[in-house]
Amino acid sequence: MNKPTVPVSSELAEVWFYHLDRSTLDQVLPELLYRTLQRGWRARVRVADADQRREIDEWLWTWREDSFLAHGLAEEPHADRQPILLTGDDANLNGSQALFIVDRSDMSLTEEFKRCFIIFDGRDEAALTTARARWKALKEQGANLAYWKQSDEGRWEKAA
């Protein structure tokens, strides 16, 4: 297994791990993005797999029957204007304050963000292994970490 890429900076952002075991990414990510926008922040969603990026693009347009989350893809025009930007690379084209990492994408440097979200499927052994390695590496660097897991009732609880 390759060692995960983690930030190497003295000014690390808050890094929040979201362990999915009751909900799926398409249920959790839009809600987290909505809350991020309510804070007045812009968001960047880093997804290495182009097919999964297109899936997320579709989810965000149909998030709720009465609403959608305005967003764009990094390779499309006006990426810099998007409140939520879906990308597979490091460029922070929209000046986002929040970075969302899904599908075991590399973290890269995080000092330009206020908060990073690492969302992983706890039912996927490879994703779980990657998340544990990232937690350990970030902890060793003194990062400001939080670990969120769903309760039996489906509420998110801070577990660490």
Side-chain angles (χ1 to χ4, degrees), residues 130-141:
T130 299
R132 286 177 178 149
R134 283 184 170 165
W135 178 276
K136 182 179 182 214
L138 287 163
K139 189 166 184 73
E140 288 171 358
Q141 293 178 19

Side-chain angles (χ1 to χ4, degrees), residues 10 12 27 33 35 39 86 94 106 108 113 135 137 149:
S10 60
L12 295 174
Q27 295 168 322
L33 289 169
R35 290 180 184 174
R39 292 182 71 99
L86 307 177
N94 68 338
D106 287 338
S108 300
F113 300 99
W135 178 276
K149 189 168 182 167

Side-chain angles (χ1 to χ4, degrees), residues 54-124:
R54 283 189 289 278
E55 284 179 32
I56 292 171
D57 178 36
E58 289 179 29
W59 300 340
L60 298 182
W61 288 123
T62 59
W63 173 48
R64 291 183 177 162
E65 285 186 29
D66 62 341
S67 182
F68 65 90
L69 289 169
H71 68 282
L73 297 165
E75 59 272 12
E76 293 178 348
H78 310 296
D80 59 323
R81 298 181 189 173
Q82 301 300 329
I84 299 169
L85 190 63
L86 307 177
T87 183
D89 62 29
D90 288 335
N92 190 2
L93 301 174
N94 68 338
S96 54
Q97 293 85 10
L99 172 63
F100 291 79
I101 299 179
V102 300
D103 80 346
R104 298 187 295 274
S105 295
D106 287 338
M107 280 189 63
S108 300
L109 297 175
T110 61
E111 67 269 358
E112 64 188 298
F113 300 99
K114 294 180 187 277
R115 186 169 298 145
C116 295
F117 298 81
I118 298 175
I119 304 170
F120 64 98
D121 186 343
R123 298 159 292 211
D124 176 342

Side-chain angles (χ1 to χ4, degrees), residues 144-159:
N144 183 2
L145 301 174
Y147 176 80
W148 297 87
K149 189 168 182 167
Q150 283 181 301
S151 69
D152 291 337
E153 296 80 35
R155 289 188 310 272
W156 288 102
E157 296 177 346
K158 191 173 182 181

